[in-house]
Amino acid sequence: MSLFKRLRNLIGGPAPAPAAERSILTVGPGDVCEVSLITYQVTGSIRNHQRNTAMLTLQDGTDFRYLLIEERELTVFALYAPIDGRLDSIEEVPMTLELDDRVFHMEEHYAGFVVPAGKTPFMRGGDQAVWNYQTDDKRLLRVEWMDGRFVLYEGETVLPADVRIIRGS
């Protein structure tokens, strides 16, 4: 190596470190991801850091979906679509719900502090209550309550291999 190349290497500084690979839990508004071969723009996210979960608002044209990501022993994904529905009171959420000739049984109920970013059903952070239901044929129902408002979603689990980040912001 010539003397000039050695001086240039010393003056030039260290090479830039490679960018860290993005985790699906760090995906946020402005990113693009693919779920079951459909490409979505991430327009918002609601994160519950206590449970290590994120609910991403996905948009494909005028179509909105919600991708729930739970990182536990394994990372679990569920893709939801919003549905019309109403419950009267947070104290009267039933153990079973019947919807379109399907009976949904409550699997879990929890509450925790969430932090929203971007366009989400709930625009302010705070305490959120969640009820998760499942049918015998593995269909999912999710009920969220925050600030006196209920939001209902129906969906299904998604294999981890069917979810990938295409472009991060």
Side-chain angles (χ1 to χ4, degrees), residues 92-98 103-109 131-134:
E92 297 176 8
V93 176
M95 293 295 289
T96 59
L97 285 169
E98 187 172 339
V103 178
F104 290 87
H105 302 278
M106 187 185 298
E107 276 195 326
E108 80 176 323
H109 166 333
W131 293 264
N132 287 318
Y133 294 83
Q134 186 172 353

Side-chain angles (χ1 to χ4, degrees), residues 9-69:
N9 286 341
L10 287 174
I11 296 171
E21 188 171 325
R22 302 270 321 257
S23 160
I24 192 69
L25 270 178
T26 62
V27 172
D31 293 337
V32 176
C33 68
E34 182 180 273
V35 181
S36 301
L37 301 177
I38 300 174
T39 303
Y40 294 98
Q41 168 120 20
V42 179
T43 59
S45 69
I46 295 180
R47 300 193 189 286
N48 183 330
H49 295 285
Q50 294 169 323
R51 292 182 59 91
N52 210 19
T53 64
M55 181 77 135
L56 302 178
T57 303
L58 306 177
Q59 184 175 2
D60 176 34
T62 59
D63 190 27
F64 283 93
R65 294 285 185 260
Y66 299 90
L67 181 66
L68 176 69
I69 306 162

Side-chain angles (χ1 to χ4, degrees), residues 46-155:
I46 295 180
R47 300 193 189 286
N48 183 330
H49 295 285
Q50 294 169 323
R51 292 182 59 91
N52 210 19
T53 64
M55 181 77 135
L56 302 178
T57 303
L58 306 177
Q59 184 175 2
D60 176 34
T62 59
D63 190 27
F64 283 93
R65 294 285 185 260
Y66 299 90
L67 181 66
L68 176 69
I69 306 162
E70 289 188 85
E71 196 165 84
R72 297 187 181 190
E73 299 90 24
L74 300 172
T75 303
V76 179
F77 300 94
L79 186 64
Y80 290 96
I83 59 173
D84 290 331
R86 182 174 71 95
L87 296 171
D88 294 325
S89 169
I90 190 171
E91 286 87 23
E92 297 176 8
V93 176
M95 293 295 289
T96 59
L97 285 169
E98 187 172 339
L99 180 68
D100 297 334
D101 297 327
R102 284 192 172 118
V103 178
F104 290 87
H105 302 278
M106 187 185 298
E107 276 195 326
E108 80 176 323
H109 166 333
Y110 62 88
F113 188 83
V114 296
V115 179
K119 297 178 182 178
T120 64
F122 303 106
M123 298 309 292
R124 227 178 26 197
D127 288 325
Q128 180 186 54
V130 175
W131 293 264
N132 287 318
Y133 294 83
Q134 186 172 353
T135 64
D136 292 336
D137 63 348
K138 304 293 185 196
R139 294 291 300 171
L140 304 174
L141 181 72
R142 180 178 174 93
V143 177
E144 296 178 345
W145 179 87
M146 189 171 169
D147 291 334
R149 180 174 167 229
F150 281 102
V151 178
L152 285 76
Y153 311 92
E154 187 177 11

